[in-house]
Amino acid sequence: MARSVPPRLKFQILPKIRNLSTPEGPLGRIKQLQKLVGAIIQYERIESQWSRADEARGYVERLIQEAVQNGPNHKPTMELANYWLVDKDLVHKLFKVLVPRFQNYTRAYTSMFPLPLKMPGRVNYKAVLELKGNAYPHVVPHHHDNHHTLLNQLLSAANDEYRQQKLAEKLSALNISMAQFGDEDKATGDAYSGAEEDGKGRTAADDNEEAAGGSPDKTTTAA
Amino acid sequence: MAASIALARQITRVNINNTKICRLSTVCTDGAFCNASLKRYSDVAPSRSDPEPDVVESHNETLSNAQAHYRYIFPEILPNPDSTRRNKVCEMLERNDMMNRRSVLEIPEFYVGSILAVTASDKYAAGNTSRFVGICIDRGGCGLRAWFILRNVIDDQGIEIMYEMYSPMIREIQMLKLEKRLDESLLYLRDAPNEYSTFDFDMAEVPHVAGDHVPINPLKVKLRSRPWLERYERQDLKGVEDLGLAQKFYDRAKQLATPWEKYDIMKQYRATVTAEDQDEVFRDIHEKQQQIEQARIVRRRRKKLQSNR
Amino acid sequence: MSCLTLLNGAIRNGFGKASFSTTQSLQQIIKLSRLRVVDNSALGRAAMQSGKPPRCIHVYKNTGVGTIGDKILVAIMGQKKRGYIIGCRQKQAAGVPRFDSNNMVLVDDSGTPLGTRIRVPVPSCLRGKATGDFSKVLAIASKFV
């Protein structure tokens, strides 16, 4: 149909088409794919069997590729869109909404994610197939690392300071100076065992602190 | 070639489409699967003389105009689109061999419907060569296995010879008439009267200026009466006159027709070499091709000067 | 061939697919293949004009499949005669001509051809088989392809 040389699809495809066996044979396969393609264009995120979604993915990508490359005034492309999108509103959406969205994309226009298997039960691989840039929240939630925000950096610095202060207080109570920890030659077995005992167990002082309302290091980091 | 095949077989990790596939790569050694799997060139790569210029060549913006024509001039330079048969090293080696052969033997641009004269080595013939003139009824294959079939009728006997383009047995391929027909394959000439396939061995070369549009011969062939070798009513033939069959044949053809294949963009995608891969191939051979074309111009000029004397 | 398509049609299942596979037409010259006599022998000409072309009844080869240059035994006009295949409809190797008809020349028991001239082109690879009987056949060939 499309006689120009297609650019490479930006995702892996199987070397052969899937037969997607239906009572109507090859025509039934095309009709099934038409439904899937229409659904993706309409809803922008669909759940389906993995094989069907994977098969439809190629068609959606190629359709959008042709639309982006040639535009609506190119007769063969319009014929192609007309064929694959049974609902004519979707043809309008393809050229007026999706083409501007994907105009400068260098990567794939769609994403596909596997869904978890419902066990126990029959193994039925399902997938989510979506167009990129859709309005829904992300399928895979984005991990937000807030460790490097100013507030959290200040809090973690304050925590460190507090811990060091507490350690110094405990050591001074046992008449051990900080300098001994830095000097391996001078350190005695007692010093190390003493420190371990201190580090492990919860002293009465700690219990008192908790009762009082907690120390700075027990507050949660700001989200 | 044997050495390059052996080298390809040793390679166990191949980068195809940016994924590492750990398997032994094998080279297709027979032309049979190529014929079956490779579509007619014109299905995917129209010639320079297409009447409806509906092709948007946006992927070729990065290539020069010269390179954009390569997929019409020698479509066999492109690898087999079947992704299970792709092997970059093999392809590179084959391309090298092909360009080396082309620098020695001039293989003209031709299409199905063109009339060629092939001089091949033949130890049993006088002068150790034999010349055959015929119309190209079919071509196919990729890489060094590219082939074409010439047909002629001599003394009321229809004869076809299949030639492998890059075979060292071929001494000369002369273009007698460069033209296209309305169909990508002229196998129906076997069921046509002999007049359609008869070409004089001494026919004069019809001059064609390089860079001109390839003319399309709009001839419509009137087939002999049935029985035929193929069911032509089931094929979308444009270069054949009305078959004159009973309606039941056309009804059955309609039942068996697959009109959805026209829109099956993924099937078409899998049968084509992508734009990026094509550009890579053409960039690779561009320099060598320029040298070959330059040498050809010099040779032609020299010939012209000699003939003028 | 028509019998086969009938069988194919009868054994179709619900999806309209045949239950057994068939190969392409191989165009081999085997027992009962009909051939075209291309020399100017009286017997050959009579057979071709009568509408009853010679039928191969034996191929002098271990495989039983005849190609260019093979000797065969044919039943022609109620007689048994030997002959050589000099043109094949079968798909050939590169450079070897493929003919539109299965051509043969008739030869008597001593190996002398019955005709005096072969009116169609003959593949030049036959010159490689110029052993004894065959050289007499090549002698009457007029054109090589």
Side-chain angles (χ1 to χ4, degrees):
Chain A
M1 178 64 221
R3 303 188 73 204
S4 59
V5 179
R8 193 186 299 155
L9 287 173
K10 306 291 185 295
F11 60 95
Q12 292 298 318
I13 55 164
L14 291 179
K16 279 188 181 169
I17 60 164
R18 286 185 181 85
N19 281 327
L20 299 183
S21 54
T22 54
E24 283 178 300
L27 178 60
R29 171 182 172 273
I30 293 282
K31 282 185 177 173
Q32 197 176 57
L33 289 167
Q34 268 175 339
K35 280 187 199 163
L36 283 163
V37 168
I40 298 162
I41 301 283
Q42 184 177 359
Y43 301 112
E44 298 196 26
R45 179 183 287 173
I46 62 165
E47 253 182 52
S48 187
Q49 284 184 29
W50 174 273
S51 53
R52 287 182 198 166
D54 192 48
E55 196 68 8
R57 191 180 183 191
Y59 288 90
V60 173
E61 290 261 351
R62 281 288 293 125
L63 186 65
I64 297 172
Q65 218 173 48
E66 291 285 321
V68 166
Q69 200 175 338
N70 303 326
N73 298 320
H74 188 233
K75 201 162 152 230
T77 308
M78 184 48 95
E79 214 183 306
L80 193 71
N82 236 352
Y83 184 85
W84 281 104
L85 303 168
V86 181
D87 186 359
K88 301 308 160 199
D89 289 340
L90 296 175
V91 175
H92 181 90
K93 181 178 177 184
L94 172 71
F95 288 108
K96 298 294 176 194
V97 175
L98 297 180
V99 164
R101 190 201 294 184
F102 296 124
Q103 194 68 51
N104 298 314
Y105 262 55
T106 52
R107 56 207 166 104
Y109 308 125
T110 58
S111 306
M112 200 156 111
F113 305 95
L115 284 168
L117 291 172
K118 282 185 198 161
M119 300 293 273
R122 242 191 313 168
V123 170
N124 182 18
Y125 297 106
K126 296 205 92 182
V128 170
L129 178 58
E130 63 162 14
L131 289 177
K132 285 194 177 137
N134 63 60
Y136 304 116
H138 296 287
V139 172
V140 178
H142 282 192
H143 170 66
H144 291 288
D145 185 5
N146 292 312
H147 179 65
H148 294 286
T149 56
L150 179 65
L151 185 59
N152 284 332
Q153 283 285 299
L154 292 170
L155 279 168
S156 82
N159 265 335
D160 289 342
E161 227 182 273
Y162 177 75
R163 280 181 194 281
Q164 279 190 351
Q165 192 189 333
K166 280 272 354 186
L167 186 63
E169 280 172 18
K170 283 180 185 171
L171 291 171
S172 67
L174 294 167
N175 293 320
I176 300 162
S177 74
M178 284 296 290
Q180 283 195 1
F181 286 100
D183 206 345
E184 289 267 347
D185 293 333
K186 280 188 187 168
T188 59
D190 294 330
Y192 270 95
S193 55
E196 229 173 280
E197 269 174 33
D198 273 351
K200 259 189 198 172
R202 283 169 66 90
T203 59
D206 288 326
D207 287 331
N208 291 339
E209 269 168 43
E210 204 174 304
S215 59
D217 65 325
K218 296 247 170 28
T219 56
T220 52
T221 53
Chain B
M1 187 56 198
S4 51
I5 293 168
L7 172 67
R9 284 223 171 87
Q10 282 167 31
I11 296 160
T12 52
R13 279 189 184 275
V14 178
N15 270 331
I16 296 173
N17 287 342
N18 299 320
T19 51
K20 285 201 177 92
I21 298 165
C22 189
R23 64 162 186 256
L24 205 65
S25 57
T26 51
V27 177
C28 51
T29 49
D30 65 298
F33 94 89
C34 260
N35 304 352
S37 64
L38 196 66
K39 273 276 185 187
R40 310 263 172 243
Y41 295 121
S42 306
D43 281 359
V44 296
S47 83
R48 294 180 289 120
S49 69
D50 246 342
E52 349 148 30
D54 59 356
V55 175
V56 176
E57 301 274 10
S58 58
H59 80 278
N60 274 329
E61 276 160 16
T62 49
L63 292 176
S64 67
N65 281 335
Q67 291 179 39
H69 288 145
Y70 288 164
R71 67 185 170 103
Y72 308 130
I73 295 170
F74 38 116
E76 75 276 358
I77 205 107
L78 293 173
N80 191 345
D82 186 359
S83 61
T84 57
R85 302 280 181 169
R86 295 293 302 275
N87 181 333
K88 293 239 162 134
V89 177
C90 258
E91 286 158 27
M92 191 252 303
L93 293 168
E94 271 202 61
R95 240 179 283 136
N96 250 15
D97 286 343
M98 285 164 73
M99 296 315 289
N100 284 339
R101 181 68 186 151
R102 272 181 177 264
S103 64
V104 172
L105 172 74
E106 185 185 330
I107 299 174
E109 172 193 0
F110 70 96
Y111 302 91
V112 167
S114 306
I115 300 160
L116 302 165
V118 173
T119 313
S121 299
D122 189 353
K123 61 180 173 181
Y124 301 116
N128 284 335
T129 58
S130 71
R131 186 169 178 268
F132 187 77
V133 171
I135 184 169
C136 176
I137 59 169
D138 202 7
R139 75 179 285 188
C142 53
L144 290 166
R145 290 161 296 283
W147 53 266
F148 59 93
I149 304 175
L150 295 184
R151 179 180 170 80
N152 207 337
V153 174
I154 306 164
D155 295 342
D156 268 338
Q157 174 70 61
I159 299 170
E160 289 171 15
I161 307 185
M162 189 263 273
Y163 289 106
E164 287 177 333
M165 276 199 296
Y166 293 92
S167 166
M169 303 285 270
I170 294 184
R171 301 279 192 98
E172 191 196 341
I173 302 175
Q174 188 190 6
M175 169 60 69
L176 294 175
K177 193 175 186 185
L178 174 64
E179 65 176 13
K180 268 194 89 178
R181 290 286 199 103
L182 295 170
D183 296 306
E184 293 94 39
S185 141
L186 297 176
L187 294 174
Y188 56 75
L189 287 179
R190 293 169 179 164
D191 285 319
N194 287 343
E195 301 87 67
Y196 290 103
S197 314
T198 316
F199 300 95
D200 187 15
F201 262 53
D202 303 315
M203 75 179 270
E205 190 180 321
V206 172
H208 177 82
V209 181
D212 262 7
H213 278 292
V214 176
I216 299 177
N217 188 345
L219 178 68
K220 284 199 178 249
V221 170
K222 175 83 184 152
L223 299 179
R224 275 191 220 112
S225 54
R226 284 175 67 238
W228 295 327
L229 291 165
E230 289 174 42
R231 296 179 193 271
Y232 298 116
E233 73 278 5
R234 295 183 190 178
Q235 300 168 20
D236 184 26
L237 297 177
K238 299 186 182 70
V240 183
E241 260 183 44
D242 178 41
L243 298 168
L245 296 168
Q247 186 57 37
K248 64 170 184 177
F249 291 100
Y250 300 111
D251 292 341
R252 183 70 179 138
K254 202 170 180 181
Q255 269 184 345
L256 297 170
T258 56
W260 55 83
E261 289 222 353
K262 187 180 167 194
Y263 303 104
D264 197 337
I265 36 185
M266 279 311 285
K267 205 169 183 186
Q268 289 162 14
Y269 176 83
R270 287 180 171 96
T272 7
V273 180
T274 58
E276 283 90 342
D277 289 348
Q278 280 198 19
D279 292 354
E280 206 181 300
V281 167
F282 298 143
R283 269 195 207 98
D284 193 20
I285 54 137
H286 179 58
E287 207 186 298
K288 189 88 192 197
Q289 178 62 14
Q290 295 285 80
Q291 287 173 7
I292 291 168
E293 279 177 10
Q294 201 56 40
R296 191 177 299 160
I297 290 167
V298 167
R299 224 183 300 131
R300 286 223 180 100
R301 213 177 284 149
R302 206 176 287 156
K303 221 186 204 177
K304 214 175 178 181
L305 285 168
Q306 283 180 349
S307 63
N308 284 347
R309 278 181 208 155
Chain C
M1 201 60 195
S2 58
C3 154
L4 206 62
T5 41
L6 209 73
L7 272 174
N8 249 324
I11 304 171
R12 281 173 195 280
N13 61 19
F15 287 103
K17 280 190 182 175
S19 300
F20 57 89
S21 61
T22 52
T23 63
Q24 286 177 329
S25 174
L26 293 169
Q27 314 278 10
Q28 288 177 342
I29 295 170
I30 54 173
K31 285 195 169 100
L32 297 183
S33 302
R34 284 165 292 181
L35 292 117
R36 179 186 166 209
V37 182
V38 288
D39 57 20
N40 62 354
S41 60
L43 180 62
R45 206 170 266 180
M48 295 311 296
Q49 277 172 1
S50 72
K52 283 205 163 173
R55 273 188 190 261
C56 172
I57 52 174
H58 190 259
V59 181
Y60 291 102
K61 209 173 163 181
N62 282 333
T63 57
V65 176
T67 48
I68 298 175
D70 291 336
K71 194 173 182 180
I72 56 171
L73 183 68
V74 294
I76 181 167
M77 303 281 277
Q79 316 166 29
K80 288 189 282 187
K81 275 271 181 278
R82 290 202 176 88
Y84 284 99
I85 301 168
I86 58 162
C88 250
R89 276 186 77 195
Q90 194 176 28
K91 191 173 170 203
Q92 299 293 328
V96 179
R98 190 201 84 96
F99 293 76
D100 278 3
S101 56
N102 293 314
N103 301 337
M104 68 167 293
V105 287
L106 294 168
V107 138
D108 66 17
D109 291 340
S110 64
T112 330
L114 296 181
T116 58
R117 207 186 303 133
I118 300 173
R119 52 174 202 273
V120 294
V122 155
S124 61
C125 60
L126 286 176
R127 283 209 182 115
K129 297 197 177 207
T131 49
D133 291 346
F134 210 83
S135 55
K136 294 181 198 171
V137 170
L138 289 173
I140 62 165
S142 53
K143 207 181 264 185
F144 286 89
V145 150

